[in-house]
Amino acid sequence: MWLINSSIGRKVVMSVTGIALILFLTFHGCMNVVALFSGEAYNTICELLGANWYAVVATLGLAALAVIHIVYAFILTAQNRRARGASRYEVTDKPAKVEWASQNMLVLGIMILLGLLLHLFNFWYNMMFAELFHIATPIDPADGFALIKQTFSNPVYVVLYVIWLVAIWFHLSHGFWSALQTLGWNGKTWFCRWKVIGLVYVTLLMLMFLVVVLAFAFGIAPSLCCDGGAECCKVLAACC
């Protein structure tokens, strides 16, 4: 099958899975921004996306996309290294038109993978996984808002997440337009437009995540108990 055996096919798979993951990040970023306005609303979303069958199926599908994208990335990198042979050890000047991100996609990918493992441990393990397998955790798995506050009250995690988000920005700033180019949207006019659109889109996307991290790190996010008004205070009178 050409999608597996040919270089072009592998790049198409990389592009399609990459675009799908960008769409997921868009949803995830919009979901996270809700926590800046209402902890109660954010926890309602977490409850809808908890250990429900549709959320589990979506998680498995997302995991499959991520694994395919990562595996194909390593395959293509190994393929390119074999094609270059001994010439890859030669010292050459950096081509003027080649982006830094393009030359360091593997390194950026490894940084993103390590950050992803940390993120899965901090959130997915303590939320969906804990709920599915009835694992006792210090914070209720349905209380995603409290988990965010706890995680980003730790300066080490804040620094690691900021580094992770910067790595993702570099990776996507190249990957966005590169994926569209692979899929054939590479005309002279639209190629330049997609690069600009991609840069703006990815920057706004990463800012959504970054703002949430910094808001909770500096304590300017809303309080869970009284951000819902008088009705919320009735329910959580002890907290208020």
Side-chain angles (χ1 to χ4, degrees):
M1 187 177 180
W2 72 276
L3 285 174
I4 299 174
N5 298 324
S6 71
S7 176
I8 298 293
R10 295 187 188 111
K11 288 181 179 180
V12 168
V13 172
M14 278 279 292
S15 299
V16 172
T17 54
I19 291 172
L21 291 172
I22 290 174
L23 292 175
F24 165 74
L25 283 176
T26 302
F27 166 77
H28 194 4
C30 292
M31 171 185 164
N32 284 0
V33 169
V34 173
L36 296 177
F37 300 96
S38 170
E40 188 180 33
Y42 181 78
N43 280 348
T44 299
I45 297 174
C46 290
E47 185 177 353
L48 291 172
L49 300 176
N52 304 299
W53 69 268
Y54 51 84
V56 173
V57 170
T59 299
L60 292 174
L62 179 64
L65 286 173
V67 169
I68 292 170
H69 191 79
I70 292 167
V71 169
Y72 271 65
F74 279 103
I75 291 174
L76 285 170
T77 300
Q79 176 184 304
N80 291 338
R81 285 178 176 270
R82 284 197 302 270
R84 290 177 61 188
S87 64
R88 70 176 182 271
Y89 298 108
E90 297 176 0
V91 178
T92 58
D93 293 332
K94 176 183 175 181
K97 295 185 178 180
V98 177
E99 299 175 346
W100 179 88
S102 176
Q103 293 190 325
N104 294 275
M105 289 296 275
L106 180 62
V107 175
L108 290 170
I110 292 173
M111 291 175 64
I112 292 169
L113 178 58
L114 293 175
L116 177 61
L117 294 175
L118 175 65
H119 186 63
L120 290 174
F121 172 75
N122 282 336
F123 291 96
W124 180 78
Y125 173 79
N126 287 297
M127 296 178 75
M128 180 181 285
F129 189 84
E131 190 174 351
L132 283 171
F133 294 96
H134 306 288
I135 298 173
T137 55
I139 296 176
D140 183 355
D143 195 353
F145 187 82
L147 194 57
I148 293 179
K149 291 187 71 173
Q150 180 195 58
T151 301
F152 297 125
S153 65
N154 186 331
V156 175
Y157 281 141
V158 173
V159 172
L160 290 176
Y161 269 81
V162 170
I163 294 172
W164 185 41
L165 292 174
V166 171
I168 296 175
W169 181 87
F170 274 110
H171 190 81
L172 295 186
S173 65
H174 171 77
F176 186 97
W177 63 262
S178 180
L180 296 177
Q181 182 182 44
T182 297
L183 296 176
W185 296 350
N186 58 346
K188 287 185 178 180
T189 301
W190 272 100
F191 177 72
C192 294
R193 290 177 181 174
W194 280 124
K195 290 189 75 170
V196 174
I197 292 171
L199 184 61
V200 172
Y201 187 88
V202 168
T203 300
L204 292 175
L205 179 59
M206 290 299 102
L207 281 175
M208 282 198 294
F209 288 96
L210 184 61
V211 166
V212 173
V213 172
L214 296 180
F216 280 88
F218 290 101
I220 56 178
S223 170
L224 177 61
C225 47
C226 287
D227 64 339
E231 191 63 31
C232 182
C233 285
K234 289 179 183 178
V235 177
L236 298 169
C239 178
C240 294

